[in-house]
Structure formats: C-alpha cells, structure tokens
Amino acid sequence: MPTHLVSYLALAGAILCEVAGSSFLQKSAQFTRLGPTAIMAVFYIASFYLLSVALRTLPLGIAYAVWGGLGTVLVAIVSVVVFRQTLDAMAILGIAMIVGGVVIMNAFSGAAH
C-alpha cells in the first residue's frame, strides 16, 4: 500500500478516535464517571498515535489542520445528533468556513502533497 495512502488512512483514524474521545469526554461528567473517562483516554491515546503515524509523510501543519478542523466539525455534528445540542447560524457559518479551509488546503496547496 502506498505510504501516502497509509498516512491519510491513519489521519482518518486519528480524527475518528478524537471525535469518539471528545464524545466520551462529554459522557465522563468532568471525570466523575470512571468508565467513560477510561474510554475517553484510550481514544485520545489512539488518536495521537495515529496522528503520529500520519506525520511520517504528511507535513505537521497540514495534518494537524485537517485533524483539528475535521475533528471540530464532526464533534459539532455529534453534539447535535447524539447530545441534542443546538447550533446557531454563526456556529454553522464557522463550521462551513472550517470545511472550506480544509478543502482549499488539500485541493490547492502544494504543501499538502
């Protein structure tokens, strides 16, 4: 499997683990519930490990921006769907800008390749 493909798959896994970790952070009730707190820690450790794998070939600035940006967008979606929280128009606009930034970086920046 090509190294770049492995890096992008690792980055995708890192993003998903970060989203799961953040979701369990919500469920941990400020670390007062042991089960969700332990699961959160495992997901965050896995996320950082997979991010480090992605950094074997991807530039730090690009990988971290994609990880942070898409993680933020997906956590916002989880907060709406799972936790029944609401987003106002400005929050949705901000999320759209994050997605646009990630797309522009990956589609048009030579640093991303």
Side-chain angles (χ1 to χ4, degrees), residues 31-62:
F31 305 121
T32 60
R33 297 180 60 220
L34 182 59
T37 299
I39 294 168
M40 174 214 64
V42 168
F43 274 119
Y44 277 140
I45 290 167
S47 178
F48 280 109
Y49 170 74
L50 290 168
L51 182 59
S52 75
V53 170
L55 292 175
R56 290 179 185 160
T57 62
L58 300 177
L60 173 63
I62 300 299

Side-chain angles (χ1 to χ4, degrees), residues 8-22 43-44 46-48 50-51 54 62-75 102:
Y8 276 106
L9 289 174
L11 182 58
I15 293 166
L16 293 176
C17 285
E18 190 268 334
V19 170
S22 295
F43 274 119
Y44 277 140
S47 178
F48 280 109
L50 290 168
L51 182 59
I62 300 299
Y64 191 81
V66 171
W67 177 78
L70 293 183
T72 300
V73 170
L74 292 174
V75 167
V102 169

Side-chain angles (χ1 to χ4, degrees), residues 3 77 95:
T3 308
I77 292 168
I95 289 169

Side-chain angles (χ1 to χ4, degrees), residues 73-97:
V73 170
L74 292 174
V75 167
I77 292 168
V78 168
S79 75
V80 169
V81 173
V82 175
F83 299 115
R84 304 286 184 223
Q85 298 171 350
T86 59
L87 299 173
D88 61 14
M90 295 313 291
I92 293 168
L93 176 62
I95 289 169
M97 292 173 74

